[in-house]
Amino acid sequence: MKYQSTREQLLDTVIKANEVDLIRMSAGNISTRTADGLVAITPSGVKYRNMSIEDISIVDLDGNLVEGLKPSSETPMHTAIYRNLPDVGSICHTHSTYAITFAMLGDEIPMVNLELLVCGAPIPVAPWASPGTPKAGEVTVEIFKDRPELKVILLRKHGLVAIGANLDHAFDMAFNAEVGFQSYYQALLLGKPEPITDEQFAEVKAAYNL
Ligand code: 13P
């Protein structure tokens, strides 16, 4: 089958993301570039637990279907990111609970823990853009272009989008962000979380060659 190994890697990431509740039912979508410059993306409305590699959609960078099922309704956001950010190899868009929670509040999330540090915190909340519209691509591209270190953006009243060099990287960014948001939420319930200072940030960067 054409794009077999890309489809398999994408499905593996879908299974992993579903197991840890980053994506549920058919909420959220994941994509990756193919070796020949197209994009493999999860199909629209297909429950993740039933998905097979044949279902995965292959689209061009303008979102036109090349093969597979009807692509995710968020294809315009994914393809806008790929068109404008050549270093992005894969994208995870999740409707994970703590991302949705903070995306409803609208405040930027400070760098309060290591999970958010590696995602490039502070994590901004993009201006409102309806899911499934090209505007979701425009608002995220504008922020990512401005902040090359940033790997995760909260989508207002919606969820998060994580970018990475490859599927593992994009998955790790989405997972780290969700853990970082959950810990921040819990800390807010107990007291006043202290942001990581510039000095502490420099120490971590030196220790891990970031
Ligand atoms: P799709 O099933 O079309 O990918 O839509 C789910 C979703 O998460 C919309 O944001």
Side-chain angles (χ1 to χ4, degrees):
M1 168 182 263
K2 227 174 153 200
Y3 306 109
Q4 170 112 8
S5 91
T6 308
R7 288 166 186 271
E8 283 170 359
Q9 287 167 32
L10 181 54
L11 189 62
D12 280 352
T13 309
V14 163
I15 292 166
K16 260 191 338 186
N18 198 32
E19 275 170 7
V20 296
D21 279 341
L22 279 178
I23 56 175
R24 267 167 285 105
M25 296 181 297
S26 69
N29 27 76
I30 303 181
S31 70
T32 192
R33 289 187 199 263
T34 65
D36 59 354
L38 299 174
V39 172
I41 187 162
T42 47
S44 186
V46 176
K47 296 264 193 329
Y48 290 114
R49 64 172 182 276
N50 302 329
M51 198 170 283
S52 63
I53 60 165
E54 295 79 23
D55 297 336
I56 286 167
S57 315
I58 307 292
V59 297
D60 67 19
L61 285 180
D62 293 316
N64 300 305
L65 184 65
V66 176
E67 52 176 89
L69 296 182
K70 182 174 168 230
S72 168
S73 55
E74 299 289 6
T75 298
M77 175 175 74
H78 290 246
T79 51
I81 293 173
Y82 290 124
R83 282 196 307 274
N84 288 283
L85 298 160
D87 292 344
V88 174
S90 305
I91 301 172
C92 277
H93 160 50
T94 79
H95 287 215
S96 40
T97 314
Y98 290 90
I100 300 174
T101 305
F102 284 110
M104 292 189 291
L105 297 174
D107 295 327
E108 166 173 280
I109 311 301
M111 190 193 290
V112 277
N113 54 48
L114 297 178
E115 281 69 15
L116 296 176
L117 180 154
V118 296
C119 296
I123 309 292
V125 183
W128 166 252
S130 172
T133 63
K135 192 165 174 220
E138 286 161 30
V139 294
T140 49
V141 164
E142 198 179 322
I143 300 171
F144 279 134
K145 272 190 145 174
D146 241 35
R147 300 211 13 217
E149 80 294 353
L150 187 65
K151 300 296 171 215
V152 175
I153 295 175
L154 284 166
L155 303 172
R156 196 164 291 253
K157 303 173 190 174
H158 181 178
L160 69 76
V161 60
I163 55 174
N166 51 43
L167 280 165
D168 273 351
H169 187 209
F171 172 87
D172 286 356
M173 292 299 108
F175 188 68
N176 272 314
E178 184 64 9
V179 173
F181 295 147
Q182 179 171 6
S183 315
Y184 181 51
Y185 169 88
Q186 290 169 177
L188 284 171
L189 293 182
L190 296 175
K192 194 163 178 287
E194 254 182 38
I196 291 175
T197 64
D198 290 348
E199 201 188 340
Q200 290 164 346
F201 182 40
E203 283 170 13
V204 176
K205 281 211 298 194
Y208 288 93
N209 283 324
L210 296 176

